[in-house]
Amino acid sequence: MTAEHLSRWLPCARWLRRYNRSLASQDALAAVIVTLMLIPQSLAYAMLAGLPPITGLYASMLPLLLYTLFGTSNTLAVGPVAVVSLMTAAALQPLFPAGSADYVAAAMLLALMSGAILLGMAALKLGFIANFLSHPVISGFISASGILIALGQLRHLLGLSVSGDNALNMLVNLWQALPDTHLPTLLIGAGSLALLYLARFHFKSALQRLGCAEAMAGHLARTGPVLTLLLAILVVSLLGLADAGVSVVGTIPAGLPGLALPALDAGLAVQLLPAALLISLVGFVESVSVGQTLAARRRERVEPNQELVGLGAANVAAAVSGGFPVTGGFARSVVNHDAGARTPMAGAFSAVGIALTVLFFTPLLDNLPHAVLAATIIMAVLSLVDLGALRRTWAYSRPDALAMAVTMLGVLLAGVEIGILLGVGLSLLLFLKRTSEPHIAVVGQLPGTEHFRNVQRHQVIQSPSVLSIRVDESLYFPNARYLEDQVARQVSEHPGVRHLVLMCSAVNLIDASALASLQTIGERLREAGIQLHLSEVKGPVMDQLRRSQFLDSFGGQVFLSQYEALRTLDPQTTRLARGTAPSHECSALPGWD
C-alpha cells in the first residue's frame, strides 16, 4: 500500500511523518488543560444522560484514541457533550430506570448504532445529508436544548426530587416543590455557580492584574471547574454534609473498563433507531461545524466524509468500552485550539490523562456533590443559548425564523426528538414552497450595454416581438406546472410577441417533469404563433437536453447569450439599445435584479 493510500484510510499517517518533540510538547500542554476541563464535564454529562458518572470518563478515553487515528481535525476534542447527552437521556429514560444495568447497556447499544450509522454514511459518502439540518433549525434546537438542560439541572441545585416531561412541567413541579429546598445543597450549588462564573469571566483578568502573563492567566482560568470540584469535595468531606442529606456521586469504581460489545437486542435496536439517526446527524453537524471553524483559523482543512469515519469509529469505541454516544464538543475544542494543540495527538494525550484519573484518583470523587455537576452543566449549556438569533433571523427571513421558533417550541414542549423533526420537516416544506414558485422575471436590455435586467427594477428597452423571460431556479417537478402558468400569463399580457426566449442562466437542473413541461410550453406557444427559444443554458444542463429529443422537436434555437438571442431575432431593437446611453436610473442599482 502506498503512502497516499495509507493517508486516505488513516489520516494520522499524514502528520505522524512530521511529528517531533516540539509538536509533542505543544500537544501535551493543550492536553493537560483539556483534561482538567474534561474530567468534571465528563462526570456531569454522564449524569445528564442518566448514567453512572464513571461512564463519562469511559467515554473520554478510547473514543479519543480512535478519533486520533481516523479524524482530520487537528483541534477537535471528541467526547461527551451536553446536547447528545440530553438526546441519549430522552431516548432511554422512557425505556429503563436511569442508571440501571439495562439503561447502561442500552446506552452502549445506542453508541454502537450511532457509530454504525456514521460509518455507513461514510461508506456511501452521505455527508451531504446533514445539510438538511438548516442553520436556523440547528440554532433553535441547540438554544432550546440548552434551556431544557438548565431547567432539568435546577432540581440538583435545590436538592429536590422532581422531574417533568417538558419545560413547562419542570417549571410547575419545581415551583410546587420549592418549599422543600435542601439548604446545604442550595448553598453548595449556588457557590459552585458563582465560582464557575468568576473563573470563566473574571479569573483571567484578575490574574493579569497580579502580573501573570496573558497566556498563562488564560490557562489557569480554565482550571476553574476542577478547582470548584475539589473545593466542593473538601467542604462536603470536612463538614460531613453527605450525612446531612447532600447528594453525592458515591463510590466510583477504579480501573480501566473492559472491552466487550453491548448485547445486541433486535427489538431494542428498532426502538432506538430513530434516536440513533438523530444523534448521528446532530453530532456530525455540530462536530464538523466546530472543526471547520477552527481549521479555517489556521488555513487547514477538515474532510466531512472522513470525519464520518472518525466520529463513527469513536462511537463504536465508546460502545465497546462502557460509554455512550460522543461527538466533538465546542467549548473543549476551542480550549484545545487556544491552548496550542497542533495535531490530533493532543486528544490521545487527553485520553491518557483520563485513564490515569480512572486508575488512581476516582476515590477522591466519592464525596463529589451532584449540585456541583449540575452547576458545571448549567454554566456549559447557557453559552449555547442564543435567543437573539431568533430576532436576527426574523429580520432577515421570516420563514427561517418560523422554522427556528417551531424547533425551539417543539424541543421545550414536546421533547428533543419531536422538536428537531418538526424543525426539519417545516424547513423542507418551506424549501419546497420557495422552489415550487420560483422568481420569474421579464427582462429587457439595459441601454448602451449587452446586459439584461428585470423590467420592474430597471429602465430597459424591450422588443415588441421578442419576450425575454429569466427563470431564477432549477426546473424540477414541484415548479414545472408553475412555469407553464407563468409563461401563459406573460404571453397573454404581450399580444404582439412572436418569439419567447427562456433565459436559463440560473437553471442548474431540468428534470424529466420540467422537460415535459418545456415540451408542453413549446407546443402551446407554437399553436399561438410563437416560437420558443432558450439562452444561456449551462453545460451540464445542455448535456442533459442532448440526451433527449427536445432539441430536435421544439423548433427553436439555443443561444449562447440573451444578447445574441435578441440580436438574431430582433436586430433593430438591439441596435437601438446599443446606441442609447445608459441613464442615471439605469446605473443607480448596479447588479440588482
Side-chain angles (χ1 to χ4, degrees), residues 128-139 141 277-278 280-286 420-421 423-424 427-428:
F128 70 89
I129 289 180
N131 296 334
F132 288 105
L133 296 176
S134 67
H135 176 75
V137 168
I138 288 295
S139 177
F141 172 74
L277 284 167
L278 287 177
S280 301
L281 288 175
V282 171
F284 173 61
V285 170
E286 180 179 356
I420 196 168
L421 287 175
V424 171
S427 292
L428 292 177

Side-chain angles (χ1 to χ4, degrees), residues 179-202:
D180 299 326
T181 298
H182 189 252
L183 185 58
T185 300
L186 175 60
L187 292 175
I188 291 174
S192 299
L193 273 177
L195 287 175
L196 291 170
Y197 176 83
L198 292 173
R200 173 175 290 188
F201 297 107
H202 299 288

Side-chain angles (χ1 to χ4, degrees), residues 64-88:
L64 275 69
L65 296 177
L66 268 291
Y67 184 82
T68 299
L69 296 177
F70 296 105
T72 61
S73 172
N74 287 329
T75 53
L76 189 70
V78 173
V81 300
V83 172
V84 171
S85 298
L86 174 65
M87 297 177 74
T88 299

